[in-house]
């Protein structure tokens, strides 16, 4: 079987690393991929938004499964595009169609969905430039901190949490009247602040049946102790110690089942990953957000823990027979620590040589932002290497990742030394 993965980050390297282990695989392609994915498959120089080019490639190379890594092509409708074309409609696309992708593409859509299906989430109201005044008045009825979310995709930057009313009003005005996030903030969701601890649960569904994947917690801030600017994610651990069996039962009953059933009731044909960002408030789970793809760097800790053949799993998703397969998850812990370019998430330099990767034996260095050049591996992004390791405990896994990070180097390499610090 021939498989194409779309994307170029650590998530896509982890997916391709796992898929490459399957005896069912003939050829693996990654578009556009990175230096890491080229070690396990063939990189194809196509942009994830070039639907025509991707479709032509799939037809010429007899692709049977296409796994869509990032959200943008899903929100832009790549699955619908494949389905509408006679030559590509037989290809199993792992990722929802445009309508289902609105769960990530529009905060308002996802809040309405949760409200309609009684899925626990923060109370909210949505405002547009025309209702800015009402929004400002609404803020006065809330107590700080205030949670303001641009409705559309804003590359992970669309959520702002001011801790006083003055800043909240300014922010709302910036978003709505001055289009701070462009089209993404033409509508803004204001919601109640949830005070708790965050984790993520991932579900893979064929539209009817689903499998719950391992839990993960990521560390989004650039600095130690969760301080400083938000990033795409500086590290992750799986499993999440505070997500015990009892809590996960609540998540499944109150959130996973009603989400999958809700999609069916609303006739939203959803095939692929549903990433549920949760806040544990007291002992109860609340949804912070849905994403319609795997997380990054969460994939780098979740995928290694899956023992089942991922190609078989994806085949079952495509054939809507996910209930027929056994899904095995490792008891081990996996942790990842992200090595980033100095300056990230603000300005940083690229094309720095990464040395020492060949010396890594105790970890899996998933490439997040790398490229090959003349036999060398160079940095090509803010997040560069996600150093993932297995351990009998979280502590052991983290120790391995940190020991491995000492073996690699590039100019101005930085990583957090406290991933997992807040967990027992
Ligand atoms: P999102 O892009 O929706 O994941 O939001 C980004 C981050 O903002 C989340 O990871 C949370 O840390 C925080 N956040 C979002 N919504 C809330 C909320 N209602 N209460 C507290 N924190 C929130
Ligand atoms: N690590 C968060 C995300 O992938 O959205």
């Amino acid at each position: 079987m021939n498989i194409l993965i779309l994307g170029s980050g650590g998530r896509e390297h982890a997916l391709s690393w796992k898929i490459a282990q399957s005896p069912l695989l003939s050829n693996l392609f990654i578009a556009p991929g990175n230096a890491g994915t080229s070690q396990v498959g063939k990189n194809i120089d196509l942009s994830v938004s070039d639907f025509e080019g991707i479709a032509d490639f799939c037809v010429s190379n007899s692709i049977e499964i296409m796994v869509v890594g990032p959200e943008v092509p899903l929100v832009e409708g790549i699955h619908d595009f494949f389905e509408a074309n006679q030559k590509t409609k037989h290809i199993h696309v792992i990722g929802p169609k445009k309508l289902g992708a609105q769960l990530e593409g529009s905060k308002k859509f996802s809040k309405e969905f949760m409200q309609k299906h009684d899925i626990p989430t923060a109370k909210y109201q949505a405002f547009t430039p025309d209702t800015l005044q009402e929004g400002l008045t609404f803020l006065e009825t809330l107590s700080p901190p205030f949670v303001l979310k641009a409705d559309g995709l804003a590359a992970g930057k669309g959520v702002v949490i001011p801790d006083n009313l003055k800043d909240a009003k300014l922010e709302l005005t910036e978003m709505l009247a001055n289009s701070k996030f462009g089209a993404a903030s033409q509508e803004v969701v204001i919601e109640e602040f949830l005070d708790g601890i965050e984790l993520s649960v991932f579900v893979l569904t064929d539209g009817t049946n689903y499998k719950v994947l391992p839990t993960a917690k990521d560390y989004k801030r650039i600095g130690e102790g969760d301080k400083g600017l938000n990033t795409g994610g500086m590290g992750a651990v799986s499993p999440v110690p505070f997500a015990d069996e009892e809590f996960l039962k609540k998540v499944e009953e109150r959130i996973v089942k009603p989400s999958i059933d809700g999609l069916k009731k609303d006739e939203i044909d959803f095939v692929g990953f549903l990433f549920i960002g949760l806040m544990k408030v007291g002992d109860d789970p609340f949804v912070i957000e849905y994403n319609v793809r795997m997380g990054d760097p969460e994939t780098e800790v979740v995928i290694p823990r899956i023992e089942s053949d991922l190609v078989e799993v994806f085949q079952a998703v495509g054939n809507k027979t996910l209930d027929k397969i056994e899904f095995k998850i490792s008891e081990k812990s996996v942790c990842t620590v992200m090595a980033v370019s100095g300056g990230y998430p603000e300005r940083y330099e690229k094309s720095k040589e990464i040395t020492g990767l060949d010396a890594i034996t105790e970890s899996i260095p998933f490439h997040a932002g790398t490229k090959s050049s003349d036999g060398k591996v160079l940095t090509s992004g803010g997040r560069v290497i996600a150093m993932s390791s297995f351990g009998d405990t979280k502590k052991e896994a983290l120790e391995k990742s940190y020991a491995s990070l000492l073996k690699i180097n590039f100019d101005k390499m930085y990583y957090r030394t406290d991933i997992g610090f807040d967990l027992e």
Side-chain angles (χ1 to χ4, degrees):
M1 158 147 352
N2 294 341
I3 298 183
L4 171 67
I5 300 179
L6 295 187
S8 60
R11 168 180 51 212
E12 288 75 22
H13 188 191
L15 286 165
S16 43
W17 167 86
K18 178 71 181 164
I19 286 172
Q21 295 167 26
S22 170
L24 298 171
L25 179 75
S26 308
N27 295 295
L28 175 61
F29 302 97
I30 308 95
N34 61 36
T37 61
S38 70
Q39 295 163 2
V40 288
K42 189 170 183 324
N43 286 351
I44 304 299
D45 189 16
L46 280 171
S47 143
V48 299
S49 294
D50 179 4
F51 294 0
E52 296 271 1
I54 295 168
D56 287 347
F57 177 84
C58 287
V59 173
S60 320
N61 291 277
S62 310
I63 298 294
E64 288 177 57
I65 297 177
M66 177 170 78
V67 186
V68 185
E71 64 278 15
V72 171
L74 293 168
V75 173
E76 288 173 351
I78 194 162
H79 193 155
D80 312 64
F81 183 88
F82 266 56
E83 201 174 72
N85 183 335
Q86 284 303 324
K87 288 190 180 152
T88 49
K89 64 188 282 201
H90 67 282
I91 297 171
H92 294 318
V93 179
I94 308 297
K97 288 185 219 152
K98 209 168 182 169
L99 183 58
Q102 285 300 298
L103 282 183
E104 175 163 2
S106 164
K107 301 277 185 203
K108 186 173 171 222
F109 180 91
S110 77
K111 295 298 284 192
E112 282 172 354
F113 177 85
M114 288 183 255
Q115 200 170 41
K116 182 171 174 193
H117 299 292
D118 280 328
I119 296 164
T121 187
K123 291 192 200 71
Y124 79 103
Q125 282 197 38
F127 299 93
T128 63
D130 289 341
T131 55
L132 172 60
Q133 276 313 320
E134 284 95 318
L136 294 171
T137 312
F138 179 63
L139 282 172
E140 287 171 9
T141 69
L142 302 176
S143 41
F146 305 89
V147 183
L148 276 61
K149 299 186 173 184
D151 178 61
L153 291 184
K157 297 192 172 68
V159 177
V160 188
I161 308 188
D163 57 12
N164 65 73
L165 184 61
K166 184 166 161 269
D167 288 351
K169 285 186 163 179
L170 219 82
E171 191 62 46
L172 185 67
T173 310
E174 276 296 303
M175 283 177 158
L176 286 176
N178 301 333
S179 305
K180 179 173 175 189
F181 297 107
S185 61
Q186 278 311 289
E187 188 137 23
V188 173
V189 164
I190 301 181
E191 68 178 40
E192 166 199 25
F193 181 81
L194 296 172
D195 198 1
I197 179 156
E198 277 183 77
L199 73 153
S200 300
V201 168
F202 303 88
V203 180
L204 179 61
T205 177
D206 61 13
T208 303
N209 312 289
Y210 66 84
K211 299 285 182 195
V212 179
L213 276 54
T215 55
K217 180 174 194 327
D218 88 337
Y219 291 80
K220 291 202 176 99
R221 302 299 188 97
I222 188 71
E224 310 271 318
D226 280 338
K227 299 274 168 16
L229 294 174
N230 241 330
T231 71
M234 296 296 290
V237 301
S238 178
V240 180
F242 61 81
D244 55 21
E245 211 173 308
E246 197 184 330
F247 178 74
L248 288 177
K249 220 170 120 193
K250 288 182 190 167
V251 172
E252 186 154 4
E253 289 304 320
R254 297 179 193 175
I255 293 167
V256 176
K257 279 191 185 144
S259 297
I260 302 297
D261 288 347
L263 287 165
K264 259 170 73 182
K265 279 185 203 149
D266 291 354
E267 294 178 12
I268 300 173
D269 178 20
F270 194 106
V271 170
F273 293 103
L274 184 63
F275 162 164
I276 310 177
L278 294 173
M279 189 74 86
K280 184 181 183 196
V281 183
D283 286 326
D284 294 317
F286 289 81
V287 178
I288 296 179
E289 63 165 351
Y290 289 115
N291 294 311
V292 298
R293 51 169 174 92
M294 284 298 292
D296 194 349
E298 292 91 331
T299 308
E300 292 94 301
V301 296
V302 168
I303 290 293
R305 291 190 61 219
I306 298 177
E307 289 179 341
S308 308
D309 180 337
L310 198 56
V311 174
E312 199 182 326
V313 173
F314 284 152
Q315 252 177 336
V317 170
N319 295 329
K320 302 203 180 293
T321 53
L322 204 47
D323 55 327
K324 302 282 188 305
I325 66 157
E326 197 196 355
F327 197 59
K328 279 179 70 184
I329 293 181
S330 162
E331 295 286 312
K332 294 212 178 231
S333 285
V334 179
C335 297
T336 198
V337 180
M338 192 68 80
V340 305
S341 301
Y344 172 79
E346 297 183 286
R347 275 174 63 90
Y348 58 85
E349 291 168 25
K350 293 188 194 176
S351 301
K352 305 290 182 190
E353 184 179 356
I354 308 168
T355 56
L357 286 167
D358 291 342
I360 310 280
T361 50
E362 297 291 300
S363 305
I364 317 161
F366 288 123
H367 292 219
T370 68
K371 63 182 177 197
S372 308
S373 173
D374 293 333
K376 293 177 181 166
V377 179
L378 307 182
T379 66
S380 74
R383 295 191 295 169
V384 176
I385 298 283
M387 194 64 84
S388 294
S389 315
F390 283 93
D392 289 332
T393 60
K394 172 174 64 67
K395 183 165 172 280
E396 188 191 324
L398 280 166
E399 279 169 3
K400 284 190 194 167
S401 288
Y402 283 120
S404 297
L405 280 166
L406 292 177
K407 296 185 179 172
I408 68 163
N409 194 36
F410 53 87
D411 185 36
K412 301 196 180 73
M413 173 171 123
Y414 165 79
Y415 54 88
R416 273 180 63 170
T417 62
D418 68 343
I419 298 304
F421 76 98
D422 55 337
L423 305 173
E424 50 71 74

